[in-house]
């Protein structure tokens, strides 16, 4: 009888600890979202680029699906083809093909290098994850 009581108490303590861990993770995630939103709003609201506005909308809509690699990618507005390939796991050639098809928003640097919008990449990855799980 005493063993059952001890096991019950231990189980209750483990459940309570798990709930507290979940709350801590949720709080950390919420803090990251707030920090990212503050960083994106760093300039005056009328000085925001379309890319930054799109990033804010993406974060607001998909905050629960963003992973650490997504947050890192959103730290900058644009990335190179190689960075995009490493982030997505696709080849650089495939990334260029996607850009040529218009799947990723791009611009050219002063050196004529292709720069890819990180927001369009993260959105692509989120939509891919959604399609995989559906």
């Amino acid at each position: 009888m005493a063993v059952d009581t001890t096991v019950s108490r231990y189980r209750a303590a483990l459940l309570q600890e798990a709930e507290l861990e979940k709350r801590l993770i949720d709080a950390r995630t919420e803090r990251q979202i707030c920090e990212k939103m503050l960083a994106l709003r760093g300039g005056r609201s009328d000085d925001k680029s379309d890319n930054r506005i799109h990033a804010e909308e993406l974060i607001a809509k998909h905050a629960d699906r963003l992973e650490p690699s997504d947050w890192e990618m959103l730290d900058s507005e644009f990335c190179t083809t190689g960075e995009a390939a490493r982030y997505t796991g696709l080849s650089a050639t495939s990334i260029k093909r996607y850009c040529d098809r218009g799947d990723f928003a791009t611009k050219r640097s002063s050196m004529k290098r292709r720069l890819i919008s990180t927001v369009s990449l993260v959105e692509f990855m989120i939509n891919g994850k959604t399609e995989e799980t559906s």
Side-chain angles (χ1 to χ4, degrees):
M1 193 73 107
V3 172
D4 289 339
T5 305
T6 304
V7 170
S8 296
R9 286 182 184 167
Y10 184 69
R11 179 178 288 147
L14 286 176
L15 289 173
Q16 184 179 15
E17 183 181 2
E19 180 60 31
L20 291 173
E21 286 289 328
K22 182 185 177 303
R23 286 183 189 175
L24 179 62
I25 291 168
D26 290 345
R28 286 180 179 160
T29 302
E30 187 64 29
R31 189 188 85 213
Q32 283 181 329
I33 291 168
C34 291
E35 287 173 351
K36 182 56 70 178
M37 293 297 283
L38 285 172
L40 289 172
R41 292 183 179 158
R44 294 181 332 174
S45 60
D46 56 340
D47 288 344
K48 289 182 190 173
S49 68
D50 289 339
N51 204 35
R52 287 294 180 194
I53 292 170
H54 193 161
E56 287 180 9
E57 292 169 356
L58 176 80
I59 290 169
K61 185 175 179 183
H62 300 290
D64 58 328
R65 289 191 224 154
L66 294 176
E67 296 178 5
S69 60
D70 301 329
W71 290 105
E72 286 179 32
M73 185 56 66
L74 289 172
D75 280 340
S76 58
E77 283 190 69
F78 294 93
C79 67
T80 64
T81 304
E83 292 169 331
R86 281 188 294 279
Y87 168 68
T88 60
L90 300 171
S91 68
T93 304
S94 294
I95 294 293
K96 290 175 186 174
R97 221 176 280 130
Y98 277 111
C99 291
D100 292 342
R101 284 191 343 201
D103 292 335
F104 301 137
T106 61
K107 73 175 190 175
R108 294 286 179 166
S109 71
S110 59
M111 303 283 290
K112 303 296 181 203
R113 292 179 68 191
R114 186 188 318 247
L115 298 175
I116 304 164
S117 163
T118 57
V119 175
S120 64
L121 283 172
V122 172
E123 194 168 43
F124 172 81
M125 293 300 287
I126 288 173
N127 290 335
K129 291 175 192 170
T130 303
E131 291 169 6
E132 289 172 10
T133 58
S134 297

PDB file of all heavy atoms in Angstrom, residues 31-44:
ATOM      1  N   ARG A  31       9.175  34.921 -25.863  1.00  0.00           N
ATOM      2  CA  ARG A  31      10.204  35.946 -25.761  1.00  0.00           C
ATOM      3  C   ARG A  31      10.948  36.097 -27.077  1.00  0.00           C
ATOM      4  O   ARG A  31      11.217  37.212 -27.534  1.00  0.00           O
ATOM      5  CB  ARG A  31      11.187  35.610 -24.644  1.00  0.00           C
ATOM      6  CG  ARG A  31      12.157  36.778 -24.364  1.00  0.00           C
ATOM      7  CD  ARG A  31      13.247  36.417 -23.415  1.00  0.00           C
ATOM      8  NE  ARG A  31      14.288  35.795 -24.226  1.00  0.00           N
ATOM      9  CZ  ARG A  31      15.091  34.837 -23.833  1.00  0.00           C
ATOM     10  NH1 ARG A  31      14.997  34.341 -22.631  1.00  0.00           N
ATOM     11  NH2 ARG A  31      15.997  34.339 -24.628  1.00  0.00           N
ATOM     12  N   GLN A  32      11.276  34.973 -27.721  1.00  0.00           N
ATOM     13  CA  GLN A  32      11.965  35.040 -29.011  1.00  0.00           C
ATOM     14  C   GLN A  32      11.106  35.751 -30.052  1.00  0.00           C
ATOM     15  O   GLN A  32      11.613  36.541 -30.844  1.00  0.00           O
ATOM     16  CB  GLN A  32      12.304  33.639 -29.507  1.00  0.00           C
ATOM     17  CG  GLN A  32      13.476  33.010 -28.824  1.00  0.00           C
ATOM     18  CD  GLN A  32      13.770  31.619 -29.393  1.00  0.00           C
ATOM     19  OE1 GLN A  32      12.867  30.912 -29.824  1.00  0.00           O
ATOM     20  NE2 GLN A  32      15.032  31.241 -29.376  1.00  0.00           N
ATOM     21  N   ILE A  33       9.825  35.467 -30.044  1.00  0.00           N
ATOM     22  CA  ILE A  33       8.908  36.110 -30.988  1.00  0.00           C
ATOM     23  C   ILE A  33       8.894  37.617 -30.735  1.00  0.00           C
ATOM     24  O   ILE A  33       8.998  38.418 -31.669  1.00  0.00           O
ATOM     25  CB  ILE A  33       7.488  35.513 -30.872  1.00  0.00           C
ATOM     26  CG1 ILE A  33       7.487  34.075 -31.385  1.00  0.00           C
ATOM     27  CG2 ILE A  33       6.473  36.362 -31.635  1.00  0.00           C
ATOM     28  CD1 ILE A  33       6.226  33.310 -31.054  1.00  0.00           C
ATOM     29  N   CYS A  34       8.790  38.005 -29.478  1.00  0.00           N
ATOM     30  CA  CYS A  34       8.775  39.432 -29.132  1.00  0.00           C
ATOM     31  C   CYS A  34      10.081  40.111 -29.523  1.00  0.00           C
ATOM     32  O   CYS A  34      10.069  41.222 -30.074  1.00  0.00           O
ATOM     33  CB  CYS A  34       8.503  39.620 -27.641  1.00  0.00           C
ATOM     34  SG  CYS A  34       6.832  39.169 -27.159  1.00  0.00           S
ATOM     35  N   GLU A  35      11.206  39.460 -29.247  1.00  0.00           N
ATOM     36  CA  GLU A  35      12.497  40.037 -29.607  1.00  0.00           C
ATOM     37  C   GLU A  35      12.625  40.198 -31.113  1.00  0.00           C
ATOM     38  O   GLU A  35      13.143  41.201 -31.599  1.00  0.00           O
ATOM     39  CB  GLU A  35      13.633  39.163 -29.075  1.00  0.00           C
ATOM     40  CG  GLU A  35      13.818  39.253 -27.579  1.00  0.00           C
ATOM     41  CD  GLU A  35      14.837  38.254 -27.042  1.00  0.00           C
ATOM     42  OE1 GLU A  35      15.294  37.370 -27.804  1.00  0.00           O
ATOM     43  OE2 GLU A  35      15.164  38.357 -25.846  1.00  0.00           O
ATOM     44  N   LYS A  36      12.165  39.210 -31.861  1.00  0.00           N
ATOM     45  CA  LYS A  36      12.233  39.293 -33.317  1.00  0.00           C
ATOM     46  C   LYS A  36      11.341  40.418 -33.837  1.00  0.00           C
ATOM     47  O   LYS A  36      11.741  41.184 -34.711  1.00  0.00           O
ATOM     48  CB  LYS A  36      11.823  37.960 -33.939  1.00  0.00           C
ATOM     49  CG  LYS A  36      11.913  37.923 -35.445  1.00  0.00           C
ATOM     50  CD  LYS A  36      13.268  38.262 -35.984  1.00  0.00           C
ATOM     51  CE  LYS A  36      14.252  37.198 -35.680  1.00  0.00           C
ATOM     52  NZ  LYS A  36      15.581  37.487 -36.242  1.00  0.00           N
ATOM     53  N   MET A  37      10.144  40.541 -33.262  1.00  0.00           N
ATOM     54  CA  MET A  37       9.237  41.612 -33.680  1.00  0.00           C
ATOM     55  C   MET A  37       9.850  42.979 -33.375  1.00  0.00           C
ATOM     56  O   MET A  37       9.778  43.897 -34.185  1.00  0.00           O
ATOM     57  CB  MET A  37       7.881  41.469 -32.983  1.00  0.00           C
ATOM     58  CG  MET A  37       7.090  40.246 -33.414  1.00  0.00           C
ATOM     59  SD  MET A  37       6.635  40.239 -35.146  1.00  0.00           S
ATOM     60  CE  MET A  37       5.287  41.377 -35.117  1.00  0.00           C
ATOM     61  N   LEU A  38      10.478  43.122 -32.210  1.00  0.00           N
ATOM     62  CA  LEU A  38      11.133  44.378 -31.863  1.00  0.00           C
ATOM     63  C   LEU A  38      12.294  44.679 -32.814  1.00  0.00           C
ATOM     64  O   LEU A  38      12.478  45.818 -33.231  1.00  0.00           O
ATOM     65  CB  LEU A  38      11.638  44.345 -30.424  1.00  0.00           C
ATOM     66  CG  LEU A  38      10.573  44.484 -29.350  1.00  0.00           C
ATOM     67  CD1 LEU A  38      11.179  44.238 -27.970  1.00  0.00           C
ATOM     68  CD2 LEU A  38       9.927  45.860 -29.391  1.00  0.00           C
ATOM     69  N   ALA A  39      13.050  43.670 -33.142  1.00  0.00           N
ATOM     70  CA  ALA A  39      14.165  43.862 -34.064  1.00  0.00           C
ATOM     71  C   ALA A  39      13.673  44.285 -35.442  1.00  0.00           C
ATOM     72  O   ALA A  39      14.264  45.162 -36.087  1.00  0.00           O
ATOM     73  CB  ALA A  39      14.988  42.582 -34.173  1.00  0.00           C
ATOM     74  N   LEU A  40      12.586  43.676 -35.876  1.00  0.00           N
ATOM     75  CA  LEU A  40      12.039  44.030 -37.185  1.00  0.00           C
ATOM     76  C   LEU A  40      11.449  45.434 -37.185  1.00  0.00           C
ATOM     77  O   LEU A  40      11.409  46.098 -38.206  1.00  0.00           O
ATOM     78  CB  LEU A  40      10.967  43.021 -37.598  1.00  0.00           C
ATOM     79  CG  LEU A  40      11.493  41.637 -37.956  1.00  0.00           C
ATOM     80  CD1 LEU A  40      10.334  40.667 -38.159  1.00  0.00           C
ATOM     81  CD2 LEU A  40      12.360  41.695 -39.193  1.00  0.00           C
ATOM     82  N   ARG A  41      10.983  45.886 -36.044  1.00  0.00           N
ATOM     83  CA  ARG A  41      10.408  47.223 -35.940  1.00  0.00           C
ATOM     84  C   ARG A  41      11.435  48.259 -35.526  1.00  0.00           C
ATOM     85  O   ARG A  41      11.088  49.344 -35.117  1.00  0.00           O
ATOM     86  CB  ARG A  41       9.270  47.210 -34.923  1.00  0.00           C
ATOM     87  CG  ARG A  41       8.092  46.422 -35.401  1.00  0.00           C
ATOM     88  CD  ARG A  41       6.967  46.480 -34.423  1.00  0.00           C
ATOM     89  NE  ARG A  41       5.851  45.713 -34.962  1.00  0.00           N
ATOM     90  CZ  ARG A  41       4.891  45.206 -34.248  1.00  0.00           C
ATOM     91  NH1 ARG A  41       4.883  45.375 -32.950  1.00  0.00           N
ATOM     92  NH2 ARG A  41       3.927  44.539 -34.809  1.00  0.00           N
ATOM     93  N   GLY A  42      12.708  47.918 -35.643  1.00  0.00           N
ATOM     94  CA  GLY A  42      13.793  48.795 -35.202  1.00  0.00           C
ATOM     95  C   GLY A  42      13.710  50.200 -35.781  1.00  0.00           C
ATOM     96  O   GLY A  42      13.926  51.180 -35.095  1.00  0.00           O
ATOM     97  N   GLY A  43      13.388  50.313 -37.053  1.00  0.00           N
ATOM     98  CA  GLY A  43      13.271  51.629 -37.665  1.00  0.00           C
ATOM     99  C   GLY A  43      11.880  52.199 -37.473  1.00  0.00           C
ATOM    100  O   GLY A  43      11.021  51.585 -36.859  1.00  0.00           O
ATOM    101  N   ARG A  44      11.696  53.398 -37.975  1.00  0.00           N
ATOM    102  CA  ARG A  44      10.358  53.982 -37.903  1.00  0.00           C
ATOM    103  C   ARG A  44       9.417  53.160 -38.772  1.00  0.00           C
ATOM    104  O   ARG A  44       9.826  52.589 -39.772  1.00  0.00           O
ATOM    105  CB  ARG A  44      10.388  55.418 -38.403  1.00  0.00           C
ATOM    106  CG  ARG A  44      11.190  56.336 -37.522  1.00  0.00           C
ATOM    107  CD  ARG A  44      11.177  57.733 -38.019  1.00  0.00           C
ATOM    108  NE  ARG A  44      10.997  57.766 -39.464  1.00  0.00           N
ATOM    109  CZ  ARG A  44      10.842  58.877 -40.153  1.00  0.00           C
ATOM    110  NH1 ARG A  44      10.870  60.024 -39.577  1.00  0.00           N
ATOM    111  NH2 ARG A  44      10.677  58.837 -41.452  1.00  0.00           N
TER     112      ARG A  44
END
